Amino acid sequence: MVIIGYLSFDASIKIKSSGKYTCTKTSKTGYGSISGYIRHIDRSTDKRSGIEVGHSNPDINPDFTLLNESYYKDDNGIWQETQNSGDMLNAINKRIDYAKANGARIYTGGKNDTVLVRPLVIQLDNESIAGHENTWMWDVIEILGEQFGKDNLRGFSIHRDETSVHMHVAFVPCYESTGITEKKKCVISQTKFFKNPKQLAGIHKTIRKSLIDKGYEIELDNKPIDEVLAGYTDKDGVFHQQGLTPDMLKALSEKEIKLKIGEIEMNIRKSELDKLELLAADVMAKAKAGQQEIEKEREILSVQQTALDNDKATVQAQTQALIAEKVSVEKMKEEVCSIAEICNQILSDEKSLNAKFLEFLERESKRTGKPFQKLVEDLYKKFQKERRNSVSDWQMEMFNMRNERLQGKSDTGYIPDIIDIGGTKTDCGFSF
């Protein structure tokens, strides 16, 4: 069975030169200008650029906004995908400037407030789009271009973030004519394209017929719902009633529609709640994982701080030990110097006695005629040589320290004589 699809066409919005807009369906008016209209239809470009704009339409689901597509017509008449929010606006303004350059007059305010843009909204249901997913929007643009003028279509957006997929087309109602001089003359007048409701209904039918010619399975006419439910038309064009009056079916269908709308709203709310629940669970899981990671890092930092404190205490203890050792060494040096002074004094006293002893030997040698002095000196040389060879390193260091203190210079290997009577120092350190 072939499923017949549905098409909806709307051109009820008018955007005027003053920035005011009106809706012929609802009599709603407001201000937003062309840029405000583009901000609504080309919201995916803003979002890709990091610009978040709030929209009053409750049917917009921002999670799907990036699935929308927007295009503008460049200077060569080629459709290009928008890169920033000004692309479509510039394309519209260039068409308006072209019209003004060719005689179009723009009025602002009052009853003559010029309609600069009359947006077109086209919607095909899923049954109609099936099999034409990649071409339907270009087919629609081609049909609209034949109906309203290719150069007058300046931009369009495909919305996939609302209840149903649909297309918004920015249409500048520029009407061109050629006079007897064959010079183009332009006017911007939406009444040149939308003369009356009957003519608008004819546009509906023309668009449907063109789509059918391109292979789309859609109704040529959209019948009222009460007529569709109440009966059918046979092959000879005769309508057959099915038992319920159109008014009864209309009342029934309105109730079913309300119930269906309520069901859809509940499903949307449930879907949103499910998304929020999943999002909350994801946030909680990430927060828990983040908290665990923080605690782990805190424990690592605590261990590192403890080790650092221990190292610091060790360094302080070592520093104190070095200071104490230095003090001890200084004290020891002072004690050694004091002992050296005492030893010097003793040696000085001993040398004084040694000199008297040598004088005594010299007198005895003369008195007795025996060489006591020579004998003692030879024996002393032998003793001094043995003594020198037996001196320890630390004794030698003590002798050097003493000599430095007394003479202000180093005399390595010097051992003070026990017997000193002046004269020349010998190999063994004995003085004559």
Side-chain angles (χ1 to χ4, degrees):
M1 182 181 72
V2 177
I3 298 176
I4 303 300
Y6 175 84
L7 176 140
S8 172
F9 175 78
D10 183 83
S12 60
I13 302 296
K14 302 174 183 178
I15 302 175
K16 302 182 179 181
S17 176
S18 63
K20 183 178 179 180
Y21 71 88
T22 60
C23 178
T24 57
K25 278 187 177 180
T26 63
S27 299
K28 182 180 179 181
T29 62
Y31 287 89
S33 71
I34 298 172
S35 60
Y37 164 67
I38 293 174
R39 189 178 302 114
H40 170 71
I41 70 169
D42 192 17
R43 50 184 176 264
S44 59
T45 301
D46 282 339
K47 191 159 188 174
R48 274 191 289 271
S49 301
I51 303 171
E52 291 289 346
V53 179
H55 299 280
S56 59
N57 187 347
D59 293 331
I60 295 174
N61 187 339
D63 293 338
F64 301 117
T65 296
L66 290 179
L67 299 177
N68 295 351
E69 297 178 62
S70 293
Y71 296 84
Y72 72 98
K73 188 164 286 184
D74 66 12
D75 295 340
N76 297 317
I78 306 300
W79 289 109
Q80 305 286 352
E81 192 166 3
T82 57
Q83 300 301 316
N84 59 71
S85 57
D87 290 338
M88 198 181 300
L89 179 61
N90 291 336
I92 292 171
N93 287 333
K94 285 179 180 178
R95 186 59 176 168
I96 296 172
D97 291 342
Y98 170 81
K100 290 194 293 185
N102 287 277
R105 295 182 180 181
I106 308 297
Y107 299 94
T108 302
K111 63 179 182 178
N112 294 322
D113 198 356
T114 304
V115 175
L116 296 179
V117 177
R118 186 147 182 182
L120 310 174
V121 183
I122 301 89
Q123 178 179 326
L124 293 171
D125 59 9
N126 293 332
E127 288 79 7
S128 302
I129 294 175
H132 306 274
E133 288 82 357
N134 298 324
T135 59
W136 74 271
M137 62 182 182
W138 300 112
D139 290 336
V140 170
I141 286 295
E142 180 183 349
I143 294 169
L144 294 178
E146 294 171 356
Q147 184 72 38
F148 299 103
K150 294 180 180 180
D151 292 333
N152 288 338
L153 306 183
R154 309 307 296 171
F156 69 89
S157 294
I158 307 298
H159 286 180
R160 295 187 175 90
D161 59 352
E162 297 182 52
T163 306
S164 301
V165 178
H166 56 278
M167 172 189 291
H168 289 263
V169 182
F171 161 55
V172 176
C174 175
Y175 183 81
E176 297 184 66
S177 61
T178 303
I180 56 176
T181 61
E182 296 187 353
K183 181 180 180 181
K184 285 186 178 181
K185 185 177 181 180
C186 295
V187 294
I188 293 183
S189 173
Q190 51 98 23
T191 58
K192 292 286 185 180
F193 300 90
F194 303 99
K195 294 180 174 61
N196 51 57
K198 185 176 180 180
Q199 188 256 357
L200 180 59
I203 294 174
H204 284 227
K205 194 164 186 176
T206 299
I207 294 172
R208 290 191 183 92
K209 187 176 185 304
S210 298
L211 287 170
I212 291 172
D213 291 342
K214 288 181 177 291
Y216 288 79
E217 299 288 345
I218 59 173
E219 288 279 5
L220 186 59
D221 296 295
N222 284 338
K223 295 185 176 70
I225 187 170
D226 53 348
E227 182 181 340
V228 174
L229 293 175
Y232 69 95
T233 302
D234 63 17
K235 62 181 181 179
D236 298 321
V238 179
F239 181 78
H240 297 269
Q241 182 70 36
Q242 293 298 295
L244 296 177
T245 65
D247 290 339
M248 292 170 64
L249 286 172
K250 184 177 181 180
L252 179 62
S253 64
E254 287 178 353
K255 182 178 180 181
E256 290 178 347
I257 289 171
K258 289 180 180 179
L259 290 173
K260 187 64 176 178
I261 290 173
E263 182 182 352
I264 291 172
E265 290 177 347
M266 288 179 65
N267 288 336
I268 290 173
R269 292 193 187 97
K270 184 178 183 302
S271 176
E272 291 176 349
L273 288 172
D274 290 342
K275 289 179 182 177
L276 288 174
E277 186 176 354
L278 290 173
L279 181 60
D282 184 55
V283 170
M284 290 295 292
K286 289 180 178 178
K288 184 177 180 180
Q291 184 64 33
Q292 291 174 347
E293 189 66 24
I294 291 172
E295 292 296 332
K296 185 177 179 180
E297 291 180 357
R298 185 177 295 168
E299 290 176 2
I300 293 172
L301 288 174
S302 177
V303 171
Q304 292 176 343
Q305 184 63 44
T306 301
L308 184 61
D309 292 340
N310 292 338
D311 291 343
K312 184 178 178 181
T314 301
V315 170
Q316 289 177 344
Q318 291 174 345
T319 302
Q320 293 296 327
L322 287 172
I323 293 172
E325 186 176 354
K326 183 178 179 181
V327 171
S328 176
V329 169
E330 292 295 331
K331 185 176 180 181
M332 185 181 295
K333 286 174 66 177
E334 291 178 359
E335 291 176 351
V336 167
C337 290
S338 177
I339 293 171
E341 290 296 335
I342 295 171
C343 291
N344 287 337
Q345 185 62 42
I346 294 171
L347 288 173
S348 177
D349 294 343
E350 288 294 326
K351 283 185 178 183
S352 178
L353 292 175
N354 291 342
K356 292 180 179 180
F357 176 66
L358 291 173
E359 290 176 0
F360 170 73
L361 289 176
E362 184 179 3
R363 289 197 305 271
E364 285 298 312
S365 295
K366 290 179 180 179
R367 186 179 65 80
T368 61
K370 295 180 181 180
F372 292 119
Q373 183 177 1
K374 181 67 169 62
L375 178 62
V376 171
E377 288 176 356
D378 290 341
L379 291 173
Y380 184 72
K381 287 179 181 180
K382 184 177 180 180
F383 165 75
Q384 189 75 334
K385 186 175 181 179
E386 291 180 358
R387 175 173 171 239
R388 182 179 184 85
N389 292 334
S390 64
V391 171
S392 64
D393 293 339
W394 72 268
Q395 288 175 315
M396 183 65 71
E397 185 177 354
M398 291 293 293
F399 289 139
N400 289 336
M401 287 176 59
R402 172 180 176 275
N403 190 57
E404 288 175 2
R405 289 174 59 85
L406 294 176
Q407 300 183 16
K409 63 181 180 178
S410 177
D411 187 9
T412 305
Y414 171 70
I415 301 174
D417 295 331
I418 296 175
I419 300 175
D420 185 7
I421 58 173
T424 304
K425 187 178 294 184
T426 62
D427 297 306
C428 58
F430 183 81
S431 297
F432 297 95

